[in-house]
Amino acid sequence: MKVRFNRWYNAVLTALLSMLGFSCSLDEPDEYGSTPVEYGTPHADYILKGTVTDEAGTPIKGIKTSLKEISKNDTGTYVFGIDSIQTNESGNYQLKNSGMPYDKRVKLVVEDIDGEANGGEFLNDTLDIDYGKAVEVEEGDHHWYVGKYEVTTDVRLKKKQ
């Protein structure tokens, strides 16, 4: 008898909760106009670009630039690679990151991986990315997609002694 009651109770509770979920996504003309309420998470596309030069301002080809997310919790620090690319002939790089990184710690890691081949050996560098300085380059869809933004970060590397 108790098992039969629990099954009936679970069925009724499931039906009620599912109706509540559907009612949250219905039109509410007074509050939201004619747009239905949506489930989801706001997101945007971020492009990090810039130029890597030496101390004299000469562009450096073949420098590895990596975008990494740093997260910390009670068990330690974790580093997640987002994107990486090498600089072109003009020392330019362009990395992409989707999501809402303004609440994350994102760093640009710049490494000389080819030694003397690019005109000398350079010291590696790590920079914090400030998404507060991002410039909007494309408007979002007025729903969950916020748009496309660019952050320009130029890097000057020092030669190894």
Side-chain angles (χ1 to χ4, degrees):
M1 180 73 175
K2 187 174 183 179
V3 171
R4 180 180 256 169
F5 175 75
N6 283 341
R7 285 187 183 167
W8 178 82
Y9 179 76
N10 286 340
V12 170
L13 188 60
T14 301
L16 287 173
L17 289 175
S18 66
M19 284 189 271
L20 286 173
F22 285 120
S23 70
C24 290
S25 63
L26 297 176
D27 287 342
E28 294 289 338
D30 294 339
E31 189 174 350
Y32 300 106
S34 62
T35 305
V37 177
E38 298 178 41
Y39 293 105
T41 303
H43 67 281
D45 294 325
Y46 287 85
I47 296 173
L48 177 66
K49 65 181 187 173
T51 304
V52 178
T53 60
D54 63 12
E55 293 175 293
T58 306
I60 309 170
K61 173 189 172 189
I63 297 293
K64 180 181 176 184
T65 57
S66 304
L67 199 55
K68 300 191 178 200
E69 176 187 335
I70 312 295
S71 68
K72 294 181 179 182
N73 63 21
D74 296 338
T75 60
T77 302
Y78 301 94
V79 178
F80 301 99
I82 298 171
D83 194 8
S84 67
I85 193 168
Q86 289 185 348
T87 56
N88 63 14
E89 295 285 336
S90 304
N92 296 325
Y93 69 93
Q94 181 172 317
L95 300 164
K96 296 179 182 173
N97 185 12
S98 293
M100 291 303 275
Y102 56 75
D103 62 346
K104 300 175 185 172
R105 296 181 60 194
V106 179
K107 295 192 180 284
L108 175 66
V109 179
V110 183
E111 303 170 275
D112 183 4
I113 57 173
D114 64 1
E116 294 285 336
N118 56 11
E121 288 190 68
F122 296 92
L123 297 171
N124 298 337
D125 200 359
T126 302
L127 301 146
D128 289 322
I129 302 304
D130 183 4
Y131 283 105
K133 295 180 180 177
V135 177
E136 184 178 24
V137 294
E138 183 179 305
E139 191 173 318
D141 62 5
H142 304 292
H143 294 287
W144 288 115
Y145 180 61
V146 179
K148 185 185 288 185
Y149 295 82
E150 286 184 354
V151 178
T152 302
T153 303
D154 294 329
V155 182
R156 276 191 194 252
L157 293 181
K158 295 179 181 181
K159 282 194 174 185
K160 286 185 180 178
Q161 300 297 344

